[in-house]
Amino acid sequence: DKHISIQRHLADLEKLADLSKGERKPCPLCPEEKFKACYSHKLHRHLQNLHWKVSVEFEGYRMCICHLPCRPVKPNLVGDQTLSKMGAHYHCIICSATIVRRTDMIGHINRHVNKGETESRFITGRASKSSYEVVKESATDVQVLPNHSTPQKTDSYFNPKMKLNRQLIFCALAVFTEERKPIECLDAFGATGIMGLQWAKHLRSSVKVTINDCNENSVTMIKENCHLNKMKVKLNIKEEDDETVGNGEENSDIIEVTQMDANVIMHLRSFDFIHLDPFGTSVNYLDSAFRNVRNLGIVSLTSTDISSLYAKAQHVTQRHYGCNIVRTEYYKELAARTVIAAVTRAAARCNKGIEVLLAVALEHFVLVVVRVLRGPTTADDSARKIRYLIHCQWCEERVFQKEGNMVEENPYQQLPCDCHGSMPGKTAVLLGPLWSGSLFNTGFLRRMLLEAVKYGLDEAQPLLKALVCESECTTLKHFSTHNPGDEYKQEECGVYIRTANTSAESYLVHGKRKSEEAPRGTAKRQRVEHSAEHPPFYYNIHRHSIKGMNMPKLNKFLSYLSEAGYRVSRTHFDPMGVRTNAPLVQFKTVLLKYSTPTYVGAQAEGPVHLPGEMQVGEEVPAAAAIKVEEAESVEDTSGVLTTMFTQPYPTHCAD
């Protein structure tokens, strides 16, 4: 039964006191020592002013303040009078909790409403679903709670800012469906189930989707969202279609919904495609993910613990990832390589190697997509790519430590800069261990771009174009998608992709590859035939700008570096970042060469006009002429460069 302080009307509260008789009556909500028995007119004012007016209303009921000794109060040395005052409280109509302050009680009820917990044993029927919001994304409708953007306070977290993340994962899965069918894919942290619904709705019979969540309320919402999108729900592995929705849908529209811990379901079953998107770090689920994932399967994980990955909480990074990092100009790529290193170690413990297909680090998340290669040999090859990074704190030059177990007498010799010789004390730090291999697979990215165009994913297309250029280390003006056969010219590790002169049927069959037509030495030949990997890390053009000088436009600066004979591209990690294989000294030399003084009066000072005063509308001169001018400028400006680039400008690392 409900508590006596919860009533619908004031008359119901007065009935408890039985005011009809003319005798002295005690208050039903106050103890005798607090409010003595009195006549009906005085008791009526007491109930109205001290109980009813300060009540909290919910669904037609009033939760009046109660002074009865039903709430345990800590002992107080002041006296019983103060103790009785502290005993005032409210009784929650939903969960029967006791709350002291009225404002806290209102907030407590609002949290119940936001979570959808509006059903009480005192209220007949379930609350109306008018509080639910229906969100549409990529032709998929999902209903969410009003507080869907606060993961700490809701059971079904939905972040609209992660739309780009969901589109990238969908493109990766769409590319994977061309290699084998059907694919058993798992969304380990379903929340609202929008990601799994998008997979099943667009890819249809190519995928068998399983959406899992350990929260009961989230599982209920996932089922309702499946019904909203006219999808059949399979509740249990052993049961056949427990619930069906819709008229005449095909069997391909079945989504399996499970409620268990993510580690448990990944230990119990094998999947071809696994996506991990927990709240925070995903390192706790890597061992389970790689335990039963099938050979040549794909594991994608989204890490949202950016405070630790972006070197704002370095002790947390050390605790979760076993990695030492500092705040650098390339901190986002450092975060991506930190996550991949943890993934590589987890895969190696299961005798499996990885091939990185995609690594994206944006403002809100770090996304990593890897292909699993079974075998101890591939595991050893992947583990050898985990190395330490030597980072100079003065000029931010960096280089991966050489392979080998022998201790070097002077590790500073590996750095291209001479800051250790010209600056006092220790100038470099050892970061890592980090992933030192490539972050992208160009062939996979090109096919992802085609899938994004096919399904009309407008937000993912610009990013995928930038990633293709970054993986090839070329500028966007050299990028082209008109030739439909170019995306298949690269042979991926362990996967036999058709080329422009062959068809997909000669390499692929449903669910498996033709072993007689697929050469066994593909992985070894791929290392030889594969084009040069993109240079690791990038330079921020603003970080290395020269005081008192106007920098050239970024696109023009890229062309200048390319004409100097270096590979160059922009990077999605930093809008002002330049990925190049040029050493930092040459990077600064070209930057100084094409910079102009800020003040007109200072134009006569310095050798800034030696490269030739190139206007915006003029064409870039021939490469031979550029090299001659560069040689002349280097001879004339050697003294100026030495004084400028050896000034002590320390890097401001994060605490």
Side-chain angles (χ1 to χ4, degrees):
D1 297 335
K2 66 179 184 297
H3 195 264
I4 59 174
S5 62
I6 303 174
Q7 301 293 335
R8 280 188 175 273
H9 307 284
L10 178 61
D12 298 334
L13 190 61
E14 293 176 348
K15 288 180 182 179
L16 298 176
D18 193 12
L19 299 181
S20 59
K21 300 180 181 180
E23 302 176 358
R24 293 176 180 267
K25 296 292 182 180
C27 175
L29 300 180
C30 296
E32 185 70 22
E33 59 270 14
K34 178 176 177 59
F35 186 81
K36 297 181 179 181
C38 60
Y39 289 103
S40 60
H41 64 280
K42 187 176 181 181
L43 183 58
H44 173 77
R45 290 197 304 267
H46 170 78
L47 293 175
Q48 183 177 9
N49 297 330
L50 297 181
H51 292 282
W52 188 258
K53 285 187 177 181
V54 294
S55 61
V56 178
E57 185 178 3
F58 176 74
E59 297 288 343
Y61 285 85
R62 291 289 189 99
M63 291 167 280
C64 303
I65 192 168
C66 175
H67 292 272
L68 297 176
C70 47
R71 174 182 171 85
V73 182
K74 296 181 180 180
N76 199 317
L77 299 178
V78 178
D80 294 339
Q81 186 175 0
T82 306
L83 181 63
S84 62
K85 290 182 180 179
M86 294 179 61
H89 55 274
Y90 294 88
H91 290 266
C92 179
I93 191 175
I94 298 176
C95 65
S96 302
T98 54
I99 309 296
V100 175
R101 298 172 61 89
R102 184 174 184 271
T103 55
D104 294 342
M105 187 65 193
I106 296 174
H108 178 78
I109 293 295
N110 290 335
R111 284 192 291 273
H112 278 302
V113 174
N114 291 336
K115 291 183 179 181
E117 300 172 353
T118 57
E119 186 176 0
S120 174
R121 62 179 183 270
F122 313 128
I123 305 175
T124 59
R126 187 182 176 94
S128 62
K129 296 183 180 180
S130 58
S131 59
Y132 287 88
E133 301 177 10
V134 178
V135 180
K136 187 171 184 178
E137 181 181 298
S138 300
T140 305
D141 298 326
V142 290
Q143 56 183 7
V144 296
L145 295 173
N147 65 338
H148 57 81
S149 59
T150 54
Q152 298 90 345
K153 299 180 181 180
T154 183
D155 294 329
S156 58
Y157 179 52
F158 176 79
N159 189 0
K161 296 180 180 179
M162 300 292 283
K163 180 180 179 180
L164 178 59
N165 176 272
R166 288 187 283 269
Q167 290 186 357
L168 291 175
I169 296 168
F170 175 82
C171 292
L173 181 59
V175 172
F176 193 32
T177 56
E178 299 177 358
E179 303 171 7
R180 61 173 78 169
K181 293 181 182 180
I183 293 177
E184 295 188 30
C185 48
L186 169 68
D187 183 9
F189 301 88
T192 59
I194 183 170
M195 187 174 296
L197 287 170
Q198 291 176 356
W199 298 348
K201 196 165 188 178
H202 295 287
L203 301 178
R204 313 293 291 184
S205 60
S206 300
V207 294
K208 294 181 180 179
V209 180
T210 301
I211 305 177
N212 176 74
D213 203 288
C214 61
N215 189 282
E216 183 179 359
N217 296 329
S218 296
V219 172
T220 303
M221 180 164 289
I222 291 172
K223 297 175 187 176
E224 295 176 355
N225 289 331
C226 291
H227 299 167
L228 185 63
N229 290 273
K230 298 182 179 180
M231 292 284 179
K232 298 179 182 179
V233 180
K234 185 178 180 182
L235 298 180
N236 202 313
I237 301 175
K238 298 181 181 179
E239 300 175 2
E240 299 297 334
D241 308 336
D242 294 329
E243 298 182 11
T244 57
V245 178
N247 298 322
E249 287 88 358
E250 299 177 358
N251 293 332
S252 60
D253 297 338
I254 298 177
I255 295 180
E256 183 177 344
V257 181
T258 59
Q259 180 185 352
M260 60 182 72
D261 187 82
N263 285 320
V264 175
I265 188 172
M266 287 187 292
H267 273 287
L268 293 177
R269 297 177 54 186
S270 299
F271 294 95
D272 300 294
F273 185 93
I274 297 176
H275 176 64
L276 303 175
D277 188 9
F279 178 68
T281 181
S282 56
V283 294
N284 300 327
Y285 308 95
L286 294 179
D287 291 332
S288 303
F290 285 101
R291 176 183 175 86
N292 281 335
V293 63
R294 294 191 175 100
N295 189 28
L296 301 181
I298 290 180
V299 175
S300 65
L301 58 143
T302 301
S303 300
T304 55
D305 53 335
I306 56 175
S307 60
S308 59
L309 290 175
Y310 290 172
K312 296 179 181 178
Q314 301 174 20
H315 61 288
V316 181
T317 313
Q318 182 69 38
R319 184 170 69 246
H320 287 170
Y321 299 94
C323 181
N324 175 42
I325 61 175
V326 295
R327 186 80 169 191
T328 62
E329 64 174 339
Y330 50 93
Y331 66 94
K332 288 188 177 180
E333 183 171 346
L334 207 64
R337 293 184 180 274
T338 301
V339 175
I340 298 175
V343 170
T344 306
R345 289 192 294 266
R349 285 192 290 268
C350 300
N351 284 337
K352 296 174 183 176
I354 66 166
E355 178 198 7
V356 181
L357 303 177
L358 171 67
V360 175
L362 298 178
E363 182 181 0
H364 304 286
F365 64 90
V366 177
L367 172 64
V368 173
V369 181
V370 299
R371 189 188 298 277
V372 181
L373 308 174
R374 183 172 296 175
T377 303
T378 56
D380 294 339
D381 294 339
S382 300
R384 275 193 289 268
K385 294 183 180 180
I386 300 179
R387 293 152 66 181
Y388 283 91
L389 182 75
I390 304 176
H391 169 80
C392 180
Q393 298 187 92
W394 291 92
C395 64
E396 297 224 13
E397 184 64 282
R398 78 290 302 211
V399 64
F400 279 108
Q401 199 173 35
K402 295 179 181 179
E403 294 186 32
N405 299 326
M406 304 302 294
V407 179
E408 289 196 10
E409 183 177 354
N410 186 10
Y412 291 99
Q413 293 179 354
Q414 299 184 27
L415 284 170
C417 63
D418 59 345
C419 297
H420 179 65
S422 58
M423 302 296 175
K426 299 179 180 180
T427 59
V429 292
L430 200 62
L431 307 181
L434 304 170
W435 172 260
S436 62
S438 176
L439 299 179
F440 313 103
N441 187 300
T442 307
F444 195 86
L445 289 174
R446 285 184 176 273
R447 292 190 291 152
M448 284 181 61
L449 179 57
L450 290 183
E451 296 296 335
V453 174
K454 176 181 177 181
Y455 291 98
L457 306 179
D458 298 332
E459 294 188 10
Q461 294 178 26
L463 178 59
L464 288 173
K465 290 180 181 179
L467 291 176
V468 172
C469 296
E470 187 175 358
S471 64
E472 296 178 343
C473 202
T474 58
T475 55
L476 189 61
K477 64 181 180 180
H478 298 117
F479 176 76
S480 176
T481 58
H482 297 293
N483 188 358
D486 289 344
E487 69 275 6
Y488 302 113
K489 288 184 179 179
Q490 179 177 354
E491 188 174 9
E492 298 177 17
C493 182
V495 181
Y496 310 105
I497 307 302
R498 66 181 184 270
T499 60
N501 298 325
T502 57
S503 60
E505 288 76 7
S506 62
Y507 288 96
L508 300 177
V509 288
H510 295 288
K512 60 179 70 175
R513 296 178 309 281
K514 293 184 178 180
S515 58
E516 61 272 14
E517 296 182 7
R520 299 178 59 184
T522 304
K524 297 181 180 180
R525 189 173 65 256
Q526 189 260 354
R527 300 190 192 103
V528 179
E529 296 176 355
H530 193 280
S531 59
E533 294 183 354
H534 60 82
F537 302 111
Y538 53 90
Y539 300 108
N540 186 285
I541 191 173
H542 283 170
R543 165 67 178 84
H544 300 286
S545 62
I546 303 162
K547 188 175 181 181
M549 306 287 285
N550 289 329
M551 298 183 304
K553 297 293 184 180
L554 182 57
N555 291 334
K556 284 186 173 293
F557 179 69
L558 295 179
S559 63
Y560 298 151
L561 272 177
S562 180
E563 291 165 1
Y566 298 106
R567 300 177 61 197
V568 62
S569 70
R570 301 187 67 170
T571 175
H572 80 280
F573 293 111
D574 188 353
M576 298 305 296
V578 178
R579 185 182 295 277
T580 178
N581 60 345
L584 183 59
V585 176
Q586 297 297 328
F587 183 89
K588 291 183 176 181
T589 302
V590 178
L591 183 62
L592 174 65
K593 179 179 179 180
Y594 292 100
S595 298
T596 57
T598 304
Y599 304 102
V600 179
Q603 287 184 358
E605 302 177 2
V608 294
H609 293 287
L610 291 177
E613 299 179 359
M614 187 179 303
Q615 303 298 327
V616 177
E618 296 180 1
E619 297 182 355
V620 179
I626 290 292
K627 292 182 180 179
V628 173
E629 292 178 0
E630 288 176 357
E632 295 176 356
S633 62
V634 169
E635 292 178 0
D636 295 339
T637 61
S638 58
V640 180
L641 293 176
T642 304
T643 56
M644 281 190 172
F645 296 150
T646 55
Q647 291 181 0
Y649 296 119
T651 303
H652 299 283
C653 300
D655 296 334

